Amino acid sequence: MGLFEKPKSIWSILNSRPITFYTSSFPLEKVGSSFFHGERFTSRPLTGEGAMASHTFLSLLLFYFYTFHLVHPIHCSVGSNAFDTTSAPQEEFSEELLLKPLPDYKVLAHFHFTSTSPPSSSNGQHHHLFPKSIAQLVKKYKIRELELSFTQGRWNYDRWGASDPLSTANGKPPGVELWALFDIPTKEEIDATWRNLTHSLSGLFCASINFLESSTSYSAPLWGFLPNNGDLRYGALPREAVCTENITPWLKLLPCRDKAGIASLLDRPSIYRGHYHSQRLKLRSDGLNGIVIEQTLSVVLQPIDRTSWSMHQLFKKSLMGKCALAKSSKVFLEIERSLVSQNENILELVGEADMVTNDQRDHSTIYQYNVERYSEHEALDIRVNWKKLLQVSFLQTPLHASRFLMGSGNERGSIAISLQSARNSTKGLYDNSKNCFTRVVIFQVVPWYVKVYYHTLRIYVDGAIRDAKDVVEKINVTPSEDKVSPGTLEMMLQFPCGMMSAALTLDFDKGFLHIDEYPPDANQGFDIPSALVSFPDFISRRIYPDSISSPLLQSYKGRNIVKSYTEVLLVPLTTPDFSMPYNVITFTCTVLALYFGSMVNVLRRRVSEEERLAKSKDKRKPGLIPLLISKISNKVRGIKEDSANQSQSSQPILGPKVVFKVVLIALIAVLGHYFFNSS
Amino acid sequence: MASDPMGSQLRRILSIFFSLSIILPLSSPSPTMHNNNWAVLVCTSRFWFNYRHMANTLSLYRTVKRLGIPDERIILMLADDMACNARNNYPAQVFNNENHQLNLYGDNVEVDYRGYEVTVENFLRVLTGRHEASVPRSKHLLSDEGSHILLYMTGHGGNEFLKFQDTEELQSHDLADAVKQMKEKNRFKELLIMVDTCQAATLFSQLQSPGVVTIGSSMKGENSYSHHLDPDVGVSVVDRFTFYTLAFFERLDMYSNASLNSLFTSYDPTLLMSTAYYRTDLYERPLNMVPVTNFFGSVMKTIPTDSAYPGFLVAHASEYAAISAETETARVVLEDEADHSKTYDQSEKGLQHTLDEWLKLLEGKLGVKDPEVLVAYGLGSMVLLLTISTWLSS
């Protein structure tokens, strides 16, 4: 397991990527020497001029390669090493930033970094741009697909949009969410691998992802989250904190870290001040394309001045050129069509874009800025001015989902999921104009201590209770098992098109935990992870002309199902007074002591014997010795009393003498003490 | 001709003996060299009002990083998230002073154990190195017998215990057992335990392992107090003991020669409102000879060894002995350089130099096959050694 340590120092970063541009001397030397290692070794036994000649030849060669590397650092170090044939696929890295004004005058900044590594057979275990730690992870755990997200805040589906590709991809549940698809045949092996994976990721990303290790915290959904053959594992930690320590290792996976390029904009206080913050790592691996990792960071920021903002104001940093190792480095500004009304432009852009395009269905306009045109002398700073404030909202999901708790007390309650039809969603925009049913898939995982009774499922459509058979098309329930596994609910529902609202309720009992299982802040309550509500009939995609080559916009083209996460639920459980165990211990001890005391008494005490002894004592006369002792004791008492009387009476006579003696001794003592101390 | 092999053998034995006689008295106090540094920094308190404990720990984190301990050798345990706490008015920032000059959280902080992971169990696992197989390397304390470890703990404590997360306690016996186990497993050479809690001194009462030096912020029956409250953050931001520790370290850089003694005596009980207590009875070296950078900084000098495999050199035992004697002197000089004053250091160097010269002379003279000359030189060297040893001991 020791393979996967997080890349803590710059040296480990350098070691993992031998050729980097901005730290040229050390890694280049390394490459050069390793290349000639074999020849050098063979030249050692040579003597005299031959050795000299071979050495000069070698050093010349080395010099040649050094200069070659230094003069054309980008051309030969980007991608694969210089000795490769050009036809082989190479490692690539691209960085992008998409800025999008939101209707409530906030700004969404979406950072997108893509690294690709060709199938491992082509260049073995060596990587130039691709993070080695991730490649090792994929290889070791046979991961086909993995997504890890760290989120703080909740994506506001009402205002920030719900059915465009960016929101579908951006909306993530608060805390940590991790899911992975494995290329492993048996269930047991997958579980074991998952456990190791969580530990590795926990070390890699400075987070407590290892809490997903226990079988009570992860589940294996079959189709509710993502259709699969049982090789998917899903886990969420709703209360995981997200802060600088998580982004530090995440940035270290980038070839330029945050020293150059778009990532240099990431000023920690600015990005963590945002209303929503989601940092993700998504990786796909297959034999054809090798490994592709997408690192994205979405932040929703509130500009200080609502009507006018610029990149510099948002991030408090300037974008001064691209990361030299990036194949492409672009900044996009996406303006939703709904923000720009037909007759007048309420937005004004300052700065000239390199390219302006609309998507195929004219939902949005993209302004493209190529970062390589900018430098330290001329930083890229996109400025947007709002001419008029307008209340608009972006495309909504067909049904707006929210989840809440019902009931009171610490014994039982119920979970309700409510689905409200979004009035402004226009059906014609979507793919399902012919179908008169809206399909909804609900996936939720509930920890075992919330014991859900799935038979109590009630479904209301437009306020009237409906038979579950009429609405539920498909259902898969994995009931929870105490302290072993969580309860998983996957449910596909079919609602009529004209429906305005629907609600589902499920009753539950609250369980009791063992005293050791309570977290330190148990009084705060326990979190139930977000449920996922997806709409398989609705696809979010945006197609842009092929003239823009961008991994970010390419990902928009995919057929992404519209989905939204619900709120995290906070369930207060009965929390014991944690001093109770001590009370119990003291009580138990008292009872035990009493019990054993009386037991010993009963067993050891011989009543008849004692009675006999007592009788014989009465019979016997007091012996000589006891008599003597009593006499002496009486005498002593008498003398004592006498002496006490004497001293009391003689005190006034002896008083001054005694006092004098005491004072004298005290004086001598003090003097002696002083003398000894001073000497 | 029969005497020739005998002579060479004798020569070899003698040279080994002489070189050993040089090595042994010098190397006896420390069998292994101090060659790496580790820091374990623990904040055991949860909840927002304990902001200052996290600030304490992060201040120490920043200090040891500044003085040269790399991030992969620091185990940082933070029991709660203060930097991105919803109550924090300054997201991703932690301050230890109301002037807000310094953001302790920085841009590159790496927390190894955080939140619910900070438990007594995990803490003891880190110290003793007994982890589950799947725990990643970054969460291990990979120290060895040449390590100097700084263990800093802060939180709420009492008589012989330190609370973790307000739910469990680390008792002084637990700590002592863990340290004992570490010693037996050769997990450290020297260990400095620094604790900032109420009645911190009581936490050290059970320690028995040699090579441990401890300092606590307060004696039994005393409380440790916070230094000041930051009205913008809304809570106290640093504890007194840590504040004055930092005040001491702010003046230093990684090349400073300040000794542990100067650190320990720098605490003023009237400023601290408690008495800093340090226990040195388990520690051999005099505190005024130990630079603080031995614990708070990192080893910067690397000493090249002649071979990675000592077995390779057995064939040339005499050469090896002579070489190792030289390197050993170099080591001692290096160690002394940090500890002693310059003049003393130089006289020591000169002495080593003359000894080396004498050895060389001996080696030369050993070529002569006259046993009497040999004996005379042997006696001479004995006398020399005797005088040197008496001079050194006086």
Side-chain angles (χ1 to χ4, degrees):
Chain A
M1 277 322 95
L3 268 171
F4 305 106
E5 53 180 318
K6 67 188 170 199
K8 269 193 165 180
S9 69
I10 180 85
W11 296 114
S12 59
I13 291 291
L14 286 177
N15 286 333
S16 65
R17 292 187 206 93
I19 305 178
T20 40
F21 169 52
Y22 56 95
T23 50
S24 54
S25 66
F26 168 61
L28 289 179
E29 191 173 52
K30 216 179 156 189
V31 168
S33 63
S34 67
F35 181 69
F36 289 107
H37 196 66
E39 282 157 76
R40 249 197 217 166
F41 230 82
T42 50
S43 75
R44 200 175 248 183
L46 287 175
T47 46
E49 282 186 355
M52 278 293 286
S54 77
H55 271 117
T56 42
F57 172 69
L58 275 174
S59 52
L60 266 173
L61 255 180
L62 270 174
F63 176 73
Y64 169 70
F65 272 101
Y66 273 37
T67 46
F68 187 59
H69 276 294
L70 289 170
V71 172
H72 312 278
I74 301 162
H75 297 289
C76 41
S77 60
V78 170
S80 187
N81 61 46
F83 318 109
D84 266 4
T85 50
T86 45
S87 61
Q90 300 191 341
E91 288 182 0
E92 278 173 9
F93 170 73
S94 68
E95 49 173 13
E96 285 154 298
L97 165 66
L98 186 134
L99 294 166
K100 184 176 176 180
L102 297 172
D104 53 354
Y105 310 111
K106 294 190 178 71
V107 183
L108 167 70
H110 181 73
F111 295 83
H112 190 106
F113 305 98
T114 320
S115 274
T116 54
S117 166
S120 52
S121 55
S122 63
N123 57 357
Q125 297 189 336
H126 301 292
H127 297 280
H128 305 294
L129 295 170
F130 197 80
K132 191 180 173 187
S133 52
I134 298 293
Q136 284 180 329
L137 206 72
V138 171
K139 202 166 283 175
K140 172 97 180 170
Y141 298 131
K142 300 191 177 67
I143 297 164
R144 196 136 44 85
E145 225 172 316
L146 175 144
E147 187 175 5
L148 172 67
S149 70
F150 293 91
T151 310
Q152 216 171 35
R154 191 168 171 261
W155 180 259
N156 192 334
Y157 289 99
D158 292 348
R159 286 184 164 178
W160 304 337
S163 63
D164 56 308
L166 200 58
S167 354
T168 310
N170 267 332
K172 280 282 158 194
V176 164
E177 187 201 52
L178 172 70
W179 61 268
L181 273 167
F182 296 95
D183 221 354
I184 299 170
T186 62
K187 188 184 167 299
E188 288 72 30
E189 274 182 68
I190 291 178
D191 285 340
T193 313
W194 166 268
R195 260 173 247 136
N196 289 333
L197 173 71
T198 56
H199 273 285
S200 298
L201 287 174
S202 141
L204 208 57
F205 288 102
C206 292
S208 335
I209 306 171
N210 51 325
F211 285 124
L212 289 175
E213 166 205 39
S214 99
S215 62
T216 55
S217 54
Y218 69 89
S219 59
L222 286 174
W223 45 267
F225 184 73
L226 197 80
N228 65 87
N229 306 319
D231 44 9
L232 176 88
R233 292 293 177 274
Y234 172 93
L237 294 170
R239 205 178 281 173
E240 186 69 20
V242 183
C243 212
T244 315
E245 67 261 28
N246 302 117
I247 207 163
T248 307
W250 185 84
L251 283 171
K252 284 182 180 175
L253 301 177
L254 304 176
C256 292
R257 301 172 71 180
D258 59 343
K259 304 290 180 220
I262 287 172
S264 66
L265 284 174
L266 294 169
D267 171 47
R268 313 294 189 276
S270 309
I271 60 170
Y272 286 103
R273 189 169 279 125
H275 290 248
Y276 176 79
H277 173 98
S278 177
Q279 168 200 330
R280 288 195 303 281
L281 175 92
K282 188 172 183 180
L283 70 88
R284 278 189 314 279
S285 154
D286 54 48
L288 261 168
N289 302 320
I291 312 170
V292 180
I293 53 171
E294 285 174 27
Q295 287 174 259
T296 59
L297 175 76
S298 316
V299 277
V300 174
L301 302 170
Q302 174 82 66
I304 300 158
D305 180 8
R306 293 176 66 177
T307 53
S308 150
W309 54 265
S310 71
M311 270 168 70
H312 185 77
Q313 279 171 5
L314 286 178
F315 299 109
K316 304 203 171 49
K317 285 194 177 176
S318 313
L319 182 52
M320 298 184 289
K322 62 179 254 179
C323 164
L325 295 168
K327 191 187 153 213
S328 74
S329 178
K330 285 167 187 164
V331 176
F332 300 106
L333 180 71
E334 186 183 13
I335 308 278
E336 288 279 328
R337 183 58 66 190
S338 56
L339 280 181
V340 191
S341 61
Q342 276 80 18
N343 37 23
E344 55 174 339
N345 230 344
I346 56 167
L347 269 171
E348 188 188 36
L349 296 179
V350 183
E352 201 185 325
D354 292 318
M355 193 195 277
V356 183
T357 40
N358 290 355
D359 77 312
Q360 228 173 41
R361 284 181 177 167
D362 211 17
H363 284 315
S364 70
T365 312
I366 287 265
Y367 298 80
Q368 183 188 318
Y369 300 81
N370 294 332
V371 183
E372 58 249 38
R373 284 205 303 129
Y374 299 89
S375 63
E376 282 172 40
H377 312 293
E378 192 202 356
L380 171 59
D381 194 18
I382 301 171
R383 180 176 283 277
V384 173
N385 296 325
W386 294 74
K387 279 194 267 179
K388 197 168 113 189
L389 303 181
L390 196 70
Q391 281 299 328
V392 288
S393 66
F394 289 167
L395 286 176
Q396 296 296 310
T397 46
L399 295 166
H400 174 75
S402 71
R403 190 175 64 159
F404 51 91
L405 282 178
M406 298 196 300
S408 61
N410 278 337
E411 205 181 346
R412 58 179 68 89
S414 43
I415 300 173
I417 296 174
S418 117
L419 300 162
Q420 298 283 335
S421 165
R423 286 189 191 84
N424 57 355
S425 80
T426 38
K427 281 241 142 171
L429 287 173
Y430 300 104
D431 295 5
N432 73 331
S433 47
K434 50 187 180 287
N435 198 345
C436 208
F437 283 98
T438 311
R439 283 194 294 165
V440 178
V441 176
I442 294 172
F443 165 62
Q444 80 170 1
V445 182
V446 180
W448 67 266
Y449 43 78
V450 175
K451 294 168 180 170
V452 178
Y453 297 116
Y454 291 98
H455 71 276
T456 61
L457 172 70
R458 283 184 300 277
I459 301 168
Y460 301 86
V461 175
D462 286 332
I465 192 159
R466 290 282 292 271
D467 194 2
K469 274 181 247 163
D470 301 344
V471 185
V472 178
E473 195 188 311
K474 204 160 120 184
I475 188 163
N476 180 22
V477 171
T478 318
S480 64
E481 206 175 320
D482 276 9
K483 305 185 186 191
V484 175
S485 66
T488 312
L489 170 69
E490 298 168 81
M491 190 160 54
M492 188 182 276
L493 302 163
Q494 238 178 6
F495 290 117
C497 292
M499 182 196 72
M500 291 308 290
S501 72
L504 289 91
T505 63
L506 282 164
D507 293 348
F508 65 83
D509 271 0
K510 294 177 186 178
F512 290 101
L513 288 121
H514 188 261
I515 185 105
D516 295 339
E517 290 164 345
Y518 283 98
D521 50 357
N523 292 305
Q524 198 186 329
F526 291 77
D527 287 330
I528 300 182
S530 296
L532 176 68
V533 178
S534 45
F535 305 92
D537 300 331
F538 295 82
I539 303 294
S540 73
R541 70 196 298 191
R542 272 183 194 172
I543 299 166
Y544 291 95
D546 290 333
S547 54
I548 302 182
S549 66
S550 144
L552 170 63
L553 299 181
Q554 285 288 326
S555 70
Y556 276 23
K557 284 185 188 171
R559 291 175 63 86
N560 297 312
I561 292 168
V562 172
K563 56 189 176 183
S564 67
Y565 283 91
T566 65
E567 298 89 341
V568 169
L569 291 181
L570 186 65
V571 184
L573 287 191
T574 32
T575 40
D577 176 359
F578 291 105
S579 62
M580 263 336 219
Y582 301 102
N583 298 350
V584 171
I585 288 166
T586 39
F587 266 108
T588 320
C589 288
T590 316
V591 168
L592 278 179
L594 280 174
Y595 170 75
F596 276 109
S598 47
M599 236 359 218
V600 167
N601 218 358
V602 166
L603 291 173
R604 293 289 300 155
R605 202 169 182 182
R606 289 168 189 169
V607 184
S608 56
E609 192 97 327
E610 277 177 16
E611 275 176 356
R612 199 165 51 79
L613 265 172
K615 271 179 193 170
S616 65
K617 261 186 186 172
D618 284 345
K619 273 177 200 166
R620 247 200 291 173
K621 283 173 188 171
L624 197 70
I625 297 163
L627 207 74
L628 264 174
I629 289 168
S630 68
K631 269 195 174 178
I632 289 165
S633 68
N634 277 343
K635 264 199 174 178
V636 168
R637 263 185 239 146
I639 288 160
K640 263 189 183 169
E641 280 165 17
D642 287 351
S643 65
N645 286 339
Q646 271 178 9
S647 65
Q648 271 175 7
S649 58
S650 62
Q651 243 178 356
I653 305 158
L654 293 169
K657 263 192 181 176
V658 170
V659 168
F660 176 72
K661 272 182 187 171
V662 167
V663 168
L664 194 74
I665 289 164
L667 209 70
I668 290 164
V670 166
L671 280 174
H673 183 76
Y674 183 74
F675 175 75
F676 281 119
N677 268 14
S678 62
S679 68
Chain B
M1 286 311 279
S3 69
D4 202 10
M6 271 290 283
S8 68
Q9 211 171 4
L10 194 69
R11 193 198 318 171
R12 184 174 290 170
I13 288 165
L14 267 176
S15 64
I16 289 168
F17 165 75
F18 286 133
S19 42
L20 277 180
S21 66
I22 305 291
I23 300 163
L24 282 177
L26 294 171
S27 60
S28 57
S30 53
T32 41
M33 222 176 62
H34 165 213
N35 51 22
N36 62 77
N37 271 84
W38 284 81
V40 181
L41 312 172
V42 192
C43 158
T44 65
S45 299
R46 202 176 183 80
F47 306 119
W48 171 249
F49 54 84
N50 291 320
Y51 182 95
R52 65 179 189 280
H53 291 150
M54 183 158 153
N56 288 346
T57 316
L58 285 169
S59 312
L60 257 291
Y61 174 72
R62 183 186 160 276
T63 304
V64 294
K65 251 176 114 167
R66 187 172 64 85
L67 293 179
I69 304 186
D71 231 336
E72 70 249 24
R73 291 183 180 230
I74 304 174
I75 306 286
L76 183 60
M77 302 174 99
L78 298 177
D80 205 352
D81 166 48
M82 300 294 173
C84 291
N85 196 302
R87 297 195 198 187
N88 192 352
N89 206 12
Y90 301 91
Q93 287 161 291
V94 173
F95 300 109
N96 68 353
N97 201 318
E98 62 180 335
N99 62 17
H100 293 193
Q101 294 284 312
L102 184 69
N103 172 20
L104 296 172
Y105 223 56
D107 280 353
N108 285 313
V109 64
E110 286 186 9
V111 186
D112 299 290
Y113 289 84
R114 64 173 194 175
Y116 299 139
E117 280 183 287
V118 182
T119 56
V120 173
E121 184 193 332
N122 278 344
F123 172 71
L124 294 178
R125 280 184 186 281
V126 166
L127 288 190
T128 53
R130 295 166 63 176
H131 293 278
E132 278 178 45
S134 48
V135 173
R137 268 172 83 86
S138 65
K139 289 184 166 188
H140 287 251
L141 176 71
L142 297 166
S143 56
D144 55 31
E145 69 270 20
S147 305
H148 278 196
I149 303 179
L150 166 72
L151 171 59
Y152 175 85
M153 292 190 279
T154 179
H156 290 284
N159 192 0
E160 305 223 352
F161 71 86
L162 172 65
K163 279 207 291 186
F164 268 66
Q165 304 247 8
D166 230 15
T167 48
E168 36 180 7
E169 288 100 30
L170 172 83
Q171 299 207 347
S172 55
H173 289 89
D174 302 335
L175 182 67
D177 287 350
V179 171
K180 202 170 184 178
Q181 206 178 113
M182 285 170 84
K183 188 76 207 173
E184 274 167 20
K185 286 177 165 176
N186 285 334
R187 282 175 68 76
F188 69 85
K189 181 167 181 282
E190 286 176 11
L191 171 67
L192 170 64
I193 308 180
M194 190 178 230
V195 180
D196 188 353
T197 69
C198 297
Q199 315 197 33
T202 56
L203 208 58
F204 312 134
S205 57
Q206 307 299 330
L207 289 171
Q208 295 166 339
S209 314
V212 182
V213 59
T214 61
I215 177 144
S217 59
S218 50
M219 305 278 281
K220 187 178 176 179
E222 284 181 340
N223 287 335
S224 295
Y225 293 99
S226 67
H227 188 263
H228 66 271
L229 183 131
D230 182 340
D232 287 342
V233 177
V235 284
S236 303
V237 286
V238 70
D239 277 321
R240 280 173 183 271
F241 176 75
T242 309
F243 182 85
Y244 291 106
T245 309
L246 295 176
F248 178 85
F249 278 108
E250 281 310 302
R251 292 182 279 113
L252 306 182
D253 63 3
M254 58 172 86
Y255 305 105
S256 313
N257 258 343
S259 69
L260 266 190
N261 196 46
S262 60
L263 170 67
F264 288 0
T265 49
S266 71
Y267 299 112
D268 180 0
T270 53
L271 291 173
L272 239 55
M273 293 167 78
S274 62
T275 325
Y277 164 87
Y278 54 96
R279 189 177 161 194
T280 53
D281 54 331
L282 301 169
Y283 196 67
E284 303 107 353
R285 289 202 282 163
L287 285 187
N288 53 359
M289 297 287 181
V290 186
V292 282
T293 45
N294 264 8
F295 291 101
F296 292 86
S298 200
V299 185
M300 285 171 293
K301 285 164 186 162
T302 48
I303 296 148
T305 50
D306 307 296
S307 169
Y309 306 104
F312 180 68
L313 288 166
V314 168
H316 318 282
S318 62
E319 286 170 40
Y320 170 59
I323 289 164
S324 61
E326 263 171 47
T327 48
E328 200 64 34
T329 27
R331 277 172 197 180
V332 171
V333 168
L334 275 178
E335 278 184 356
D336 285 343
E337 211 169 27
D339 292 356
H340 308 313
S341 62
K342 278 245 165 112
T343 49
Y344 179 70
D345 186 32
Q346 261 160 18
S347 70
E348 183 89 332
K349 257 188 191 167
L351 185 73
Q352 302 298 345
H353 194 67
T354 49
L355 269 179
D356 267 9
E357 290 288 302
W358 178 244
L359 257 181
K360 272 180 193 162
L361 193 71
L362 269 180
E363 289 267 49
K365 291 289 171 192
L366 281 172
V368 185
K369 281 162 204 155
D370 195 349
E372 278 182 24
V373 178
L374 202 81
V375 168
Y377 273 109
L379 275 175
S381 65
M382 291 281 268
V383 167
L384 193 73
L385 276 173
L386 200 72
T387 48
I388 286 164
S389 62
T390 46
W391 181 75
L392 273 176
S393 60
S394 63

